Amino acid sequence: MKIILIKDHKDLGKSGDLINAKDGYARNFLIPMKIAIEATKENLAKWQEEKRIEEENEKENRKKALELKKKLESKKILITAKAGDGGKLFGAITSKDIADQIKKQYNVQIDKKKIDLAENIKSIGLKNIEIKLYPKIVANIKVEVDGE
């Protein structure tokens, strides 16, 4: 029997998957527990429409991420911090600081968790940093740290 999962199931698949299940298992467990619905013509049509909308949203989000990548890569983020002799900073520049500067300078909200910073920046100079904007879309930005 063909069924459409409406909740994730560890053995069968994720919500929204169209799968084959044994008749008794589907009728006596999956459907009554509201884990799945039967794949009737109406339910299949609704499922296909939802998949189509999901794909359109995916394309739109991907397009926005590519535009944001171009915008960020074409610019340089400038951060000033107190520094001592030899270019060492008093403290460090973190991913939160970088996200705040991007928001302040270019009015673009970036989650600090998406900024791939191996370790905090502790010296002045130009650094290349990756930002994960979307799956398989990574922006390489330049961050220039100046000392005060």
Side-chain angles (χ1 to χ4, degrees):
M1 158 183 263
K2 285 197 179 262
I3 58 171
I4 301 169
L5 293 176
I6 52 177
K7 290 184 182 173
D8 290 351
H9 190 279
K10 66 176 183 170
D11 296 328
L12 299 176
K14 295 186 180 216
S15 175
D17 288 351
L18 178 67
I19 62 166
N20 284 320
K22 295 190 177 188
D23 290 353
Y25 186 54
R27 290 193 195 286
N28 297 324
F29 180 72
L30 296 174
I31 294 172
M33 297 296 287
K34 299 193 184 324
I35 295 173
I37 56 174
E38 189 175 350
T40 61
K41 284 185 181 182
E42 297 85 24
N43 289 341
L44 275 174
K46 184 178 174 185
W47 175 75
Q48 288 171 339
E49 180 65 19
E50 288 173 358
K51 286 291 185 187
R52 185 187 63 74
I53 291 170
E54 194 175 289
E55 286 175 9
E56 286 177 5
N57 288 340
E58 174 75 19
K59 285 180 185 176
E60 184 64 31
N61 290 340
R62 190 167 185 74
K63 181 180 173 188
K64 286 180 182 178
L66 287 170
E67 289 172 2
L68 181 58
K69 177 183 175 177
K70 281 184 183 177
K71 180 178 180 179
L72 289 175
E73 287 182 342
S74 67
K75 304 191 175 172
K76 189 182 335 180
I77 295 14
L78 179 64
I79 299 176
T80 55
K82 293 193 183 237
D85 294 333
K88 294 275 187 184
L89 296 178
F90 295 129
I93 305 293
T94 63
S95 57
K96 183 182 183 317
D97 297 328
I98 295 169
D100 291 343
Q101 285 300 317
I102 292 172
K103 173 73 174 163
K104 184 178 172 184
Q105 293 177 20
Y106 304 114
N107 201 24
V108 175
Q109 187 70 39
I110 300 287
D111 185 6
K112 68 178 185 175
K113 295 174 190 162
K114 303 225 181 227
I115 298 174
D116 190 18
L117 197 59
E119 59 181 40
N120 295 336
I121 300 171
K122 297 178 182 178
S123 60
I124 61 173
L126 188 66
K127 312 287 184 204
N128 290 322
I129 295 174
E130 292 182 346
I131 300 176
K132 297 172 185 159
L133 300 173
Y134 205 71
K136 298 182 182 176
I137 298 178
V138 177
N140 294 308
I141 63 166
K142 291 179 176 67
V143 175
E144 185 173 346
V145 181
D146 282 340
E148 289 182 339

